[in-house]
Tab-separated table of all heavy atoms in Angstrom:
chain	number	residue	atom	x	y	z
A	1	ASP	N	-13.886	-3.978	-11.510
A	1	ASP	CA	-14.055	-2.841	-12.346
A	1	ASP	C	-14.913	-1.817	-11.723
A	1	ASP	O	-14.689	-0.616	-11.692
A	1	ASP	CB	-14.602	-3.183	-13.732
A	1	ASP	CG	-13.564	-4.079	-14.507
A	1	ASP	OD1	-12.415	-4.062	-14.144
A	1	ASP	OD2	-14.141	-4.731	-15.479
A	2	PHE	N	-16.008	-2.231	-11.159
A	2	PHE	CA	-16.991	-1.391	-10.411
A	2	PHE	C	-16.326	-0.718	-9.198
A	2	PHE	O	-16.472	0.471	-9.047
A	2	PHE	CB	-18.199	-2.056	-10.064
A	2	PHE	CG	-19.272	-1.220	-9.308
A	2	PHE	CD1	-20.275	-0.419	-10.069
A	2	PHE	CD2	-19.325	-1.208	-7.924
A	2	PHE	CE1	-21.138	0.226	-9.460
A	2	PHE	CE2	-20.235	-0.395	-7.317
A	2	PHE	CZ	-21.170	0.359	-8.028
A	3	PHE	N	-15.596	-1.428	-8.380
A	3	PHE	CA	-15.038	-0.881	-7.232
A	3	PHE	C	-13.914	0.134	-7.619
A	3	PHE	O	-13.736	1.107	-6.942
A	3	PHE	CB	-14.480	-2.017	-6.353
A	3	PHE	CG	-15.528	-2.770	-5.629
A	3	PHE	CD1	-16.874	-2.427	-5.657
A	3	PHE	CD2	-15.153	-3.715	-4.673
A	3	PHE	CE1	-17.818	-3.039	-4.915
A	3	PHE	CE2	-16.112	-4.325	-3.856
A	3	PHE	CZ	-17.537	-4.056	-3.991
A	4	PHE	N	-13.057	-0.250	-8.644
A	4	PHE	CA	-12.048	0.724	-9.088
A	4	PHE	C	-12.655	1.924	-9.589
A	4	PHE	O	-12.197	3.050	-9.355
A	4	PHE	CB	-11.101	0.146	-10.005
A	4	PHE	CG	-10.012	-0.729	-9.422
A	4	PHE	CD1	-9.933	-2.069	-9.705
A	4	PHE	CD2	-9.037	-0.237	-8.520
A	4	PHE	CE1	-9.018	-2.979	-9.147
A	4	PHE	CE2	-8.067	-0.968	-8.024
A	4	PHE	CZ	-8.079	-2.398	-8.349
A	5	ALA	N	-13.804	1.860	-10.478
A	5	ALA	CA	-14.306	3.080	-11.062
A	5	ALA	C	-14.962	3.994	-9.973
A	5	ALA	O	-14.924	5.180	-10.191
A	5	ALA	CB	-15.399	2.587	-12.007
A	6	ASN	N	-15.345	3.302	-8.866
A	6	ASN	CA	-15.994	4.178	-7.841
A	6	ASN	C	-15.135	4.449	-6.724
A	6	ASN	O	-15.472	4.888	-5.615
A	6	ASN	CB	-17.376	3.423	-7.421
A	6	ASN	CG	-18.368	3.524	-8.417
A	6	ASN	OD1	-19.024	4.539	-8.536
A	6	ASN	ND2	-18.597	2.424	-9.212
A	7	ILE	N	-13.830	4.180	-6.840
A	7	ILE	CA	-12.660	4.460	-5.899
A	7	ILE	C	-13.108	3.851	-4.518
A	7	ILE	O	-13.082	4.631	-3.467
A	7	ILE	CB	-12.392	5.894	-5.831
A	7	ILE	CG1	-12.265	6.575	-7.102
A	7	ILE	CG2	-11.277	6.245	-4.966
A	7	ILE	CD1	-12.218	8.082	-7.191
A	8	PHE	N	-13.473	2.604	-4.410
A	8	PHE	CA	-13.753	1.841	-3.223
A	8	PHE	C	-12.539	1.334	-2.565
A	8	PHE	O	-12.560	0.858	-1.492
A	8	PHE	CB	-14.797	0.780	-3.379
A	8	PHE	CG	-16.177	1.227	-3.547
A	8	PHE	CD1	-17.087	0.433	-4.190
A	8	PHE	CD2	-16.608	2.488	-3.120
A	8	PHE	CE1	-18.364	0.931	-4.380
A	8	PHE	CE2	-17.862	2.859	-3.323
A	8	PHE	CZ	-18.804	2.144	-3.983
A	9	PHE	N	-11.410	1.267	-3.287
A	9	PHE	CA	-10.183	0.750	-2.700
A	9	PHE	C	-9.195	1.839	-2.356
A	9	PHE	O	-8.949	2.820	-3.081
A	9	PHE	CB	-9.432	-0.118	-3.712
A	9	PHE	CG	-10.061	-1.469	-3.967
A	9	PHE	CD1	-10.493	-1.731	-5.294
A	9	PHE	CD2	-10.342	-2.383	-3.017
A	9	PHE	CE1	-11.109	-2.968	-5.585
A	9	PHE	CE2	-10.965	-3.583	-3.298
A	9	PHE	CZ	-11.398	-3.917	-4.550
A	10	SER	N	-8.553	1.800	-1.196
A	10	SER	CA	-7.627	2.677	-0.702
A	10	SER	C	-6.336	2.392	-1.419
A	10	SER	O	-6.072	1.168	-1.846
A	10	SER	CB	-7.346	2.347	0.842
A	10	SER	OG	-6.111	2.977	1.270
A	11	ASN	N	-5.406	3.346	-1.500
A	11	ASN	CA	-4.108	3.082	-2.142
A	11	ASN	C	-3.296	2.191	-1.210
A	11	ASN	O	-2.174	1.749	-1.684
A	11	ASN	CB	-3.422	4.438	-2.417
A	11	ASN	CG	-4.034	5.243	-3.523
A	11	ASN	OD1	-4.615	4.669	-4.365
A	11	ASN	ND2	-3.834	6.477	-3.450
A	12	LYS	N	-3.659	2.040	0.007
A	12	LYS	CA	-3.087	1.130	0.918
A	12	LYS	C	-3.379	-0.351	0.729
A	12	LYS	O	-2.889	-1.206	1.482
A	12	LYS	CB	-3.185	1.589	2.266
A	12	LYS	CG	-2.574	3.052	2.529
A	12	LYS	CD	-2.798	3.479	3.870
A	12	LYS	CE	-2.411	4.905	4.151
A	12	LYS	NZ	-1.284	5.470	3.497
A	13	GLN	N	-4.489	-0.606	-0.025
A	13	GLN	CA	-4.942	-1.984	-0.265
A	13	GLN	C	-3.998	-2.640	-1.290
A	13	GLN	O	-3.934	-2.302	-2.369
A	13	GLN	CB	-6.355	-1.958	-0.803
A	13	GLN	CG	-6.868	-3.241	-1.343
A	13	GLN	CD	-7.076	-4.261	-0.220
A	13	GLN	OE1	-7.479	-3.914	0.959
A	13	GLN	NE2	-6.784	-5.567	-0.383
A	14	PHE	N	-3.324	-3.806	-0.862
A	14	PHE	CA	-2.447	-4.464	-1.786
A	14	PHE	C	-2.899	-5.865	-1.997
A	14	PHE	O	-2.818	-6.385	-3.174
A	14	PHE	CB	-0.994	-4.519	-1.150
A	14	PHE	CG	-0.301	-3.215	-1.265
A	14	PHE	CD1	-0.512	-2.048	-0.494
A	14	PHE	CD2	0.631	-3.075	-2.441
A	14	PHE	CE1	0.160	-0.887	-0.765
A	14	PHE	CE2	1.250	-1.868	-2.595
A	14	PHE	CZ	1.087	-0.719	-1.756
A	15	GLY	N	-3.386	-6.675	-1.018
A	15	GLY	CA	-3.734	-7.994	-1.159
A	15	GLY	C	-4.878	-8.207	-2.211
A	15	GLY	O	-5.818	-7.447	-2.150
A	16	PHE	N	-4.803	-9.175	-3.060
A	16	PHE	CA	-5.921	-9.614	-3.887
A	16	PHE	C	-6.193	-8.558	-5.026
A	16	PHE	O	-7.189	-8.758	-5.717
A	16	PHE	CB	-7.184	-9.869	-3.138
A	16	PHE	CG	-6.984	-10.880	-1.975
A	16	PHE	CD1	-7.090	-10.323	-0.731
A	16	PHE	CD2	-6.539	-12.123	-2.153
A	16	PHE	CE1	-6.990	-11.218	0.389
A	16	PHE	CE2	-6.330	-12.973	-1.032
A	16	PHE	CZ	-6.586	-12.506	0.224
A	17	ILE	N	-5.260	-7.695	-5.306
A	17	ILE	CA	-5.450	-6.682	-6.369
A	17	ILE	C	-4.333	-6.915	-7.319
A	17	ILE	O	-3.172	-6.854	-6.982
A	17	ILE	CB	-5.523	-5.271	-5.842
A	17	ILE	CG1	-6.746	-5.070	-4.984
A	17	ILE	CG2	-5.510	-4.305	-6.971
A	17	ILE	CD1	-6.908	-3.720	-4.432
A	18	LYS	N	-4.603	-7.095	-8.468
A	18	LYS	CA	-3.664	-7.219	-9.652
A	18	LYS	C	-2.623	-6.109	-9.687
A	18	LYS	O	-3.082	-4.894	-9.759
A	18	LYS	CB	-4.316	-7.392	-11.049
A	18	LYS	CG	-3.380	-7.866	-12.214
A	18	LYS	CD	-4.307	-8.050	-13.430
A	18	LYS	CE	-3.360	-8.645	-14.483
A	18	LYS	NZ	-4.013	-9.048	-15.647
A	19	GLY	N	-1.382	-6.509	-9.727
A	19	GLY	CA	-0.263	-5.469	-9.720
A	19	GLY	C	0.085	-4.873	-8.365
A	19	GLY	O	0.951	-4.021	-8.336
A	20	ARG	N	-0.673	-5.350	-7.432
A	20	ARG	CA	-0.381	-4.845	-6.017
A	20	ARG	C	-0.165	-5.978	-5.014
A	20	ARG	O	-1.044	-6.200	-4.241
A	20	ARG	CB	-1.457	-3.919	-5.416
A	20	ARG	CG	-1.714	-2.658	-6.207
A	20	ARG	CD	-2.612	-1.750	-5.363
A	20	ARG	NE	-3.321	-0.828	-6.197
A	20	ARG	CZ	-4.231	-0.077	-5.743
A	20	ARG	NH1	-4.633	-0.184	-4.482
A	20	ARG	NH2	-4.923	0.754	-6.520
A	21	SER	N	0.913	-6.620	-5.098
A	21	SER	CA	1.189	-7.850	-4.285
A	21	SER	C	1.520	-7.431	-2.792
A	21	SER	O	1.918	-6.286	-2.541
A	21	SER	CB	2.232	-8.664	-4.835
A	21	SER	OG	3.500	-8.009	-4.641
A	22	THR	N	1.347	-8.435	-1.937
A	22	THR	CA	1.661	-8.175	-0.537
A	22	THR	C	3.265	-8.009	-0.392
A	22	THR	O	3.762	-7.287	0.410
A	22	THR	CB	1.183	-9.287	0.322
A	22	THR	OG1	1.704	-10.544	-0.176
A	22	THR	CG2	-0.278	-9.348	0.421
A	23	VAL	N	3.984	-8.564	-1.298
A	23	VAL	CA	5.487	-8.270	-1.394
A	23	VAL	C	5.705	-6.915	-1.623
A	23	VAL	O	6.515	-6.298	-1.046
A	23	VAL	CB	6.139	-9.285	-2.356
A	23	VAL	CG1	7.556	-8.903	-2.550
A	23	VAL	CG2	6.020	-10.743	-1.889
A	24	LEU	N	5.046	-6.387	-2.605
A	24	LEU	CA	5.201	-4.999	-3.002
A	24	LEU	C	4.851	-4.067	-1.805
A	24	LEU	O	5.529	-3.103	-1.429
A	24	LEU	CB	4.384	-4.646	-4.243
A	24	LEU	CG	4.425	-3.145	-4.775
A	24	LEU	CD1	5.805	-2.836	-5.030
A	24	LEU	CD2	3.422	-2.920	-5.851
A	25	GLN	N	3.740	-4.521	-1.082
A	25	GLN	CA	3.359	-3.689	0.188
A	25	GLN	C	4.508	-3.806	1.180
A	25	GLN	O	4.891	-2.737	1.796
A	25	GLN	CB	2.185	-4.280	0.780
A	25	GLN	CG	1.645	-3.437	1.946
A	25	GLN	CD	0.376	-4.102	2.483
A	25	GLN	OE1	0.217	-5.189	2.498
A	25	GLN	NE2	-0.393	-3.195	3.168
A	26	LEU	N	5.177	-4.891	1.415
A	26	LEU	CA	6.179	-4.973	2.384
A	26	LEU	C	7.371	-4.135	1.967
A	26	LEU	O	8.012	-3.543	2.765
A	26	LEU	CB	6.705	-6.505	2.443
A	26	LEU	CG	5.659	-7.343	3.239
A	26	LEU	CD1	6.169	-8.760	3.073
A	26	LEU	CD2	5.610	-6.992	4.689
A	27	LEU	N	7.721	-4.103	0.632
A	27	LEU	CA	8.812	-3.166	0.177
A	27	LEU	C	8.474	-1.826	0.415
A	27	LEU	O	9.356	-0.980	0.865
A	27	LEU	CB	9.135	-3.545	-1.299
A	27	LEU	CG	9.707	-4.899	-1.556
A	27	LEU	CD1	9.719	-5.090	-3.147
A	27	LEU	CD2	11.164	-4.987	-1.019
A	28	GLN	N	7.294	-1.360	0.152
A	28	GLN	CA	6.782	-0.020	0.305
A	28	GLN	C	6.886	0.415	1.813
A	28	GLN	O	7.393	1.473	2.132
A	28	GLN	CB	5.399	0.215	-0.198
A	28	GLN	CG	5.038	1.642	-0.099
A	28	GLN	CD	3.742	1.957	-0.742
A	28	GLN	OE1	3.275	1.306	-1.620
A	28	GLN	NE2	2.975	2.843	-0.235
A	29	ILE	N	6.484	-0.413	2.641
A	29	ILE	CA	6.409	-0.123	4.088
A	29	ILE	C	7.907	-0.083	4.620
A	29	ILE	O	8.230	0.750	5.488
A	29	ILE	CB	5.482	-1.085	4.886
A	29	ILE	CG1	5.156	-0.481	6.314
A	29	ILE	CG2	6.215	-2.355	5.065
A	29	ILE	CD1	4.245	0.638	6.208
A	30	LEU	N	8.731	-0.952	4.163
A	30	LEU	CA	10.191	-0.952	4.453
A	30	LEU	C	10.784	0.380	4.087
A	30	LEU	O	11.508	0.972	4.893
A	30	LEU	CB	10.878	-2.093	3.829
A	30	LEU	CG	12.341	-2.143	4.220
A	30	LEU	CD1	12.631	-2.440	5.767
A	30	LEU	CD2	13.018	-3.317	3.495
A	31	ASP	N	10.427	0.855	2.918
A	31	ASP	CA	10.947	2.193	2.491
A	31	ASP	C	10.424	3.329	3.384
A	31	ASP	O	11.149	4.120	3.822
A	31	ASP	CB	10.417	2.495	0.973
A	31	ASP	CG	11.463	2.318	-0.007
A	31	ASP	OD1	12.541	1.916	0.317
A	31	ASP	OD2	11.052	2.540	-1.275
A	32	ASP	N	9.160	3.194	3.737
A	32	ASP	CA	8.564	4.371	4.586
A	32	ASP	C	9.193	4.287	5.925
A	32	ASP	O	9.496	5.223	6.481
A	32	ASP	CB	7.113	4.062	4.710
A	32	ASP	CG	6.286	4.256	3.461
A	32	ASP	OD1	6.817	4.893	2.485
A	32	ASP	OD2	5.139	3.911	3.377
A	33	TRP	N	9.381	3.085	6.504
A	33	TRP	CA	9.975	2.968	7.804
A	33	TRP	C	11.388	3.434	7.906
A	33	TRP	O	11.888	4.070	8.732
A	33	TRP	CB	9.898	1.458	8.340
A	33	TRP	CG	8.545	1.115	8.794
A	33	TRP	CD1	7.392	1.907	8.945
A	33	TRP	CD2	8.051	-0.172	9.115
A	33	TRP	NE1	6.238	1.164	9.256
A	33	TRP	CE2	6.683	-0.090	9.470
A	33	TRP	CE3	8.679	-1.370	9.142
A	33	TRP	CZ2	5.937	-1.233	9.747
A	33	TRP	CZ3	7.945	-2.604	9.540
A	33	TRP	CH2	6.616	-2.361	9.770
A	34	THR	N	12.180	3.054	6.781
A	34	THR	CA	13.594	3.426	6.788
A	34	THR	C	13.709	5.032	6.686
A	34	THR	O	14.496	5.639	7.438
A	34	THR	CB	14.253	2.899	5.474
A	34	THR	OG1	14.149	1.419	5.543
A	34	THR	CG2	15.738	3.261	5.351
A	35	LEU	N	12.929	5.665	5.896
A	35	LEU	CA	12.854	7.116	5.795
A	35	LEU	C	12.430	7.699	7.139
A	35	LEU	O	13.122	8.697	7.578
A	35	LEU	CB	11.845	7.533	4.705
A	35	LEU	CG	11.693	9.114	4.563
A	35	LEU	CD1	12.991	9.761	4.135
A	35	LEU	CD2	10.599	9.441	3.660
A	36	THR	N	11.426	7.115	7.835
A	36	THR	CA	11.003	7.652	9.082
A	36	THR	C	12.144	7.513	10.152
A	36	THR	O	12.335	8.454	10.899
A	36	THR	CB	9.679	6.931	9.611
A	36	THR	OG1	8.718	7.148	8.564
A	36	THR	CG2	9.220	7.408	10.850
A	37	LEU	N	12.732	6.395	10.186
A	37	LEU	CA	13.857	6.193	11.165
A	37	LEU	C	15.083	7.134	10.936
A	37	LEU	O	15.677	7.672	11.777
A	37	LEU	CB	14.242	4.682	11.135
A	37	LEU	CG	13.254	3.735	11.766
A	37	LEU	CD1	13.698	2.263	11.584
A	37	LEU	CD2	13.132	4.048	13.270
A	38	ASP	N	15.365	7.323	9.628
A	38	ASP	CA	16.379	8.263	9.195
A	38	ASP	C	16.159	9.674	9.726
A	38	ASP	O	17.020	10.486	9.977
A	38	ASP	CB	16.595	8.214	7.656
A	38	ASP	CG	17.419	6.965	7.092
A	38	ASP	OD1	17.879	6.195	7.994
A	38	ASP	OD2	17.367	6.723	5.956
A	39	LEU	N	14.851	10.049	9.776
A	39	LEU	CA	14.442	11.381	10.339
A	39	LEU	C	14.435	11.395	11.805
A	39	LEU	O	14.075	12.458	12.472
A	39	LEU	CB	13.134	11.768	9.702
A	39	LEU	CG	13.068	11.962	8.127
A	39	LEU	CD1	11.662	12.122	7.667
A	39	LEU	CD2	13.949	13.040	7.719
A	40	GLY	N	14.705	10.284	12.425
A	40	GLY	CA	14.770	10.327	13.898
A	40	GLY	C	13.374	10.090	14.541
A	40	GLY	O	13.157	10.518	15.715
A	41	ILE	N	12.358	9.696	13.754
A	41	ILE	CA	10.996	9.602	14.248
A	41	ILE	C	10.653	8.100	14.680
A	41	ILE	O	11.106	7.221	14.050
A	41	ILE	CB	10.034	10.047	13.139
A	41	ILE	CG1	10.255	11.482	12.700
A	41	ILE	CG2	8.571	9.827	13.714
A	41	ILE	CD1	9.502	11.827	11.432
A	42	GLN	N	10.109	8.004	15.802
A	42	GLN	CA	9.605	6.711	16.343
A	42	GLN	C	8.650	6.094	15.495
A	42	GLN	O	7.655	6.738	14.898
A	42	GLN	CB	9.254	6.845	17.784
A	42	GLN	CG	8.703	5.519	18.381
A	42	GLN	CD	8.192	5.844	19.920
A	42	GLN	OE1	8.659	6.613	20.566
A	42	GLN	NE2	7.249	5.050	20.157
C-alpha cells in the first residue's frame, strides 16, 4: 500500500503484483512487438 501510494512501482512491473501477472506482461509485450514489426521497426 505504501509503495503504490508513493508510486514506487513502474507500470512495467508485473511480477508479484496483484492483477499484473507475468502472463499478462508477456501478452502486452507480444502486442507491442507485433505493432512495432508491423511498422517495419527492428
Side-chain angles (χ1 to χ4, degrees):
D1 291 345
F2 180 85
F3 282 5
F4 277 118
N6 289 282
I7 313 170
F8 285 157
F9 290 119
S10 161
N11 287 335
K12 297 181 187 322
Q13 170 70 35
F14 281 82
F16 310 113
I17 295 180
K18 190 174 186 173
R20 294 193 205 172
S21 70
T22 52
V23 171
L24 182 60
Q25 182 181 30
L26 288 171
L27 290 171
Q28 182 175 330
I29 199 70
L30 182 62
D31 258 359
D32 292 347
W33 288 350
T34 302
L35 176 63
T36 301
L37 290 172
D38 286 347
L39 294 172
I41 301 171
Q42 176 180 325

